[in-house]
Amino acid sequence: MNNKKLVSFLVIITVIIMVGTSLYGGLQNTGSANNAPASSTIAQQGTIYISPGPTPAFVDNFNPFNVWSPPAGIMSLIYEPLLQINTYNGTVIPWLATNYTWHNNNTQLVLDLRHNVTFSNGMAFNSSDVVYMFNEQKTLFGYWADIGNITAAGQYTVDFNFTKENTQCLFYIGGTFMVPKQLWQGIKSPNTQIVKNPVGTGPYVLSSFSGQKIVLTANPHYWQPNEPHIKNVVYVDYTSASALTTALEQGKVQWTSAFEPNITKLLTSKNPNAHYWFPPGQPVSMITNDHIYPMNQSYFRQALSLSINRTEICKVGEYGYERPANAANILQQQLSYLNSTNKAEAASLAEYNPTKALSLLESHGFSIKSGRLYEPNGTKLPTINLMSVAGYTDWDTDISIIASDLAKIGIKVQISTPTLSQVQSDVLSGNFQMALVTVTGIGPNPWYDYEGLVGNSTTASGNATGVNEERWNYTGTNFMTYFNQFPKTSSPSGQRALINNMTSVMLNQMPVIPLVYSADWYEYINTTIKGFPNQNNPYGIPMPWYPGPMEVVMLHLYSTAGVKKATNPYLTYEIAGGIIAVLVALSMLTVYNRKRRREKD
């Protein structure tokens, strides 16, 4: 063997070693989309500081019958629901219940419960706890009117027997927090109890309380394996937005939900580990009093919609954080329910087009003279009042933009900004012409969005109503037929068809005028805490004040200090292979040298 052949051989050996090492390195770098480590490689460690947003001092009461009372979000780290249902996309995650099925033409719901779950005090969770909670709510609040009886069909099975079909009850049933019957059954008015030592099945237990700080510690007996990853949760109170912004910038708070008027300047430019994501929430709408002429005409409401520059409202009034709403009155995340015809119409009616608006009005006998709109009978259209809440600076800017837009089609608008209580009173009693409000419902599909818009259509102005504040008279349409049919079916295709039938009526009638999607404010610092949802990985609803969804996010989070270094299972083979390659090379070199010596001899 000559020198050239030996060198070539050694090069080949070296390349093989390098390629093997490179391939293993490539395998090591392959992972999930967000590069999260496997749950089993994360130790329970670290502390996270969370604020629900600017709020008054916390109240020392963790009553699970009032989960929306402060401190609302953190309640879902102590108490848990049967199902986690995402209101953005309708995803159902089994939780304390592992499965649900509908029977008897959707009049019976059967829930199968998870085995081997205990409350934090050691009591076992089973069907008796579920039956207790729902029967208690039925007695206390009159909830579950469509449920005839709730019974335990076994230790881990519960039957809900309905008096009529109501598949949409699943959302409310699934989201109900569970408590141990043995601890609560002797209490006469559980909803009024002051609960300072909460007991639930959740991933955390209460460690300490003050009006400014609540400390939770990981539940050592939590039923989900390797959860939670973070050992301590500190829920901190900030009464002002400015103080919270400073705390977030300095890393004293790592997860919050706060409105920031200039978040790039105030936060992200100062801290490279500060991030935000403002997913679209419920539509903010201009509600019209549909009992008053000409707002009681559907074409007039459509013309109003076409006259409003939603893009300008988002850019100026909402600081660029919010997005224009479609005219269908449903969440942006649920637009996939709509067929192509309804999608196109929903976009068209929300498009800024004052020329089309004026043409629509003129086709119904209106005319514009000297910059003012005249009714078909020749009367000048009176000034219309549009109100918003004093101190809602973005909304107050919005109504100024709307007034300017409507002036372009000859409608004179007077704006006013009463107090919140006054606006609420005027809208409920019908003592208004137009107002900015949020009136849609919210749930895992558009039926819930529409649920907030329908009710007693005959409520006259001057008489209070808690639903259908716009006083839309939907008689003569088939809307309520479709709406009432929807809870009777569990067929996805049947439900989709009914949603589109309802949406067609909504677009034709436009009882309220959606303007922008409200922003679900959410900021986080990922210096030492990882796993937060974002626009590229929107696995959950991110606001830390939202009981239920907050737990889903919390169980995705982990401290970087708790990530164990994964061992390389191929390292031994790599080292051995390298040693063998070297030995082979040396052996070849020895043989070569011996051959050379023999040739010389």
Side-chain angles (χ1 to χ4, degrees), residues 281-436:
Q282 292 170 275
V284 174
S285 301
M286 186 173 79
I287 185 174
T288 56
N289 190 328
D290 297 348
H291 270 184
I292 301 175
Y293 182 83
M295 277 82 75
N296 63 347
Q297 302 297 311
S298 59
Y299 68 84
F300 190 85
R301 299 191 292 266
Q302 289 177 330
L304 292 176
S305 177
L306 291 165
S307 303
I308 297 172
N309 190 336
R310 291 167 173 79
T311 300
E312 185 72 6
I313 289 175
C314 292
K315 180 180 178 182
V316 179
E318 303 302 332
Y319 301 89
Y321 297 151
E322 299 181 351
R323 308 172 189 177
N326 72 85
N329 264 312
I330 65 174
L331 297 181
Q332 184 180 49
Q333 295 92 336
Q334 296 172 357
L335 285 175
S336 59
Y337 275 88
L338 302 187
N339 57 36
S340 58
T341 301
N342 279 334
K343 279 184 182 177
E345 184 69 4
S348 176
L349 284 171
E351 183 182 3
Y352 178 51
N353 195 335
T355 301
K356 184 178 178 180
L358 191 56
S359 176
L360 178 60
L361 291 172
E362 289 174 341
S363 70
H364 287 85
F366 283 79
S367 60
I368 190 166
K369 302 172 186 177
S370 302
R372 289 295 302 274
L373 191 66
Y374 281 75
E375 299 174 8
N377 63 6
T379 303
K380 184 189 294 185
L381 183 70
T383 299
I384 300 176
N385 180 267
L386 170 60
M387 64 179 176
S388 174
V389 177
Y392 286 18
T393 55
D394 55 338
W395 286 15
D396 294 345
T397 301
D398 294 347
I399 62 174
S400 295
I401 294 171
I402 293 170
S404 177
D405 287 342
L406 295 183
K408 296 172 185 175
I409 62 167
I411 299 176
K412 186 176 181 180
V413 175
Q414 176 187 358
I415 61 175
S416 60
T417 54
T419 63
L420 173 61
S421 60
Q422 187 64 55
V423 171
Q424 290 174 334
S425 175
D426 287 347
V427 169
L428 291 177
S429 65
N431 183 30
F432 75 101
Q433 291 178 296
M434 299 191 302
L436 249 63

Side-chain angles (χ1 to χ4, degrees), residues 37-48 202-205 216-233 528-529 554-555 557-564:
S39 179
S40 60
T41 67
I42 304 173
Q44 189 180 89
Q45 193 169 332
T47 298
I48 184 171
Y204 289 90
V205 294
L216 302 184
T217 303
N219 179 356
H221 306 296
Y222 187 50
W223 58 271
Q224 292 204 48
N226 302 313
E227 294 283 3
H229 300 314
I230 297 177
K231 187 170 185 178
N232 302 303
V233 173
T528 59
I529 304 296
M554 190 67 219
L555 294 182
L557 303 184
Y558 60 93
S559 168
T560 54
V563 180
K564 302 174 184 175

Side-chain angles (χ1 to χ4, degrees), residues 102-375:
W102 289 98
H103 302 274
N104 300 330
N105 296 319
N106 295 323
T107 60
Q108 183 186 43
L109 173 66
V110 178
L111 286 176
D112 298 318
L113 305 182
R114 193 174 299 278
H115 295 212
N116 302 317
V117 174
T118 61
F119 291 96
S120 58
N121 65 352
M123 293 178 178
F125 166 74
N126 55 47
S127 56
S128 65
D129 304 305
V130 179
V131 172
Y132 163 79
M133 189 60 172
F134 284 98
N135 280 330
E136 199 67 31
Q137 288 189 338
K138 194 174 175 69
T139 300
L140 287 172
F141 309 121
Y143 292 171
W144 325 117
D146 291 341
I147 302 177
N149 60 73
I150 305 137
T151 59
Q155 190 175 6
Y156 297 105
T157 304
V158 179
D159 290 346
F160 294 81
N161 298 289
F162 290 76
T163 56
K164 64 178 182 180
E165 308 98 317
N166 191 346
T167 59
Q168 298 314 296
C169 233
L170 178 69
F171 174 53
Y172 304 114
I173 289 172
T176 301
F177 286 170
M178 294 295 106
V179 299
K181 173 185 176 181
Q182 296 177 61
L183 203 65
W184 285 86
Q185 63 183 342
I187 300 174
K188 291 184 178 179
S189 300
N191 57 311
T192 63
Q193 291 297 302
I194 303 299
V195 180
K196 295 189 176 185
N197 296 297
V199 174
T201 62
Y204 289 90
V205 294
L206 180 63
S207 178
S208 65
F209 176 89
S210 75
Q212 288 70 46
K213 184 171 70 174
I214 302 171
V215 180
L216 302 184
T217 303
N219 179 356
H221 306 296
Y222 187 50
W223 58 271
Q224 292 204 48
N226 302 313
E227 294 283 3
H229 300 314
I230 297 177
K231 187 170 185 178
N232 302 303
V233 173
V234 181
Y235 213 49
V236 288
D237 171 65
Y238 288 89
T239 56
S240 73
S242 59
L244 178 54
T245 299
T246 300
L248 194 64
E249 175 200 332
Q250 296 174 349
K252 295 179 180 178
V253 170
Q254 294 147 306
W255 181 15
T256 190
S257 175
F259 169 69
E260 305 280 358
N262 190 338
I263 196 165
T264 301
K265 180 180 179 181
L266 294 175
L267 182 63
T268 57
S269 65
K270 297 181 179 181
N271 187 339
N273 294 306
H275 306 276
Y276 67 93
W277 173 40
F278 299 154
Q282 292 170 275
V284 174
S285 301
M286 186 173 79
I287 185 174
T288 56
N289 190 328
D290 297 348
H291 270 184
I292 301 175
Y293 182 83
M295 277 82 75
N296 63 347
Q297 302 297 311
S298 59
Y299 68 84
F300 190 85
R301 299 191 292 266
Q302 289 177 330
L304 292 176
S305 177
L306 291 165
S307 303
I308 297 172
N309 190 336
R310 291 167 173 79
T311 300
E312 185 72 6
I313 289 175
C314 292
K315 180 180 178 182
V316 179
E318 303 302 332
Y319 301 89
Y321 297 151
E322 299 181 351
R323 308 172 189 177
N326 72 85
N329 264 312
I330 65 174
L331 297 181
Q332 184 180 49
Q333 295 92 336
Q334 296 172 357
L335 285 175
S336 59
Y337 275 88
L338 302 187
N339 57 36
S340 58
T341 301
N342 279 334
K343 279 184 182 177
E345 184 69 4
S348 176
L349 284 171
E351 183 182 3
Y352 178 51
N353 195 335
T355 301
K356 184 178 178 180
L358 191 56
S359 176
L360 178 60
L361 291 172
E362 289 174 341
S363 70
H364 287 85
F366 283 79
S367 60
I368 190 166
K369 302 172 186 177
S370 302
R372 289 295 302 274
L373 191 66
Y374 281 75
E375 299 174 8

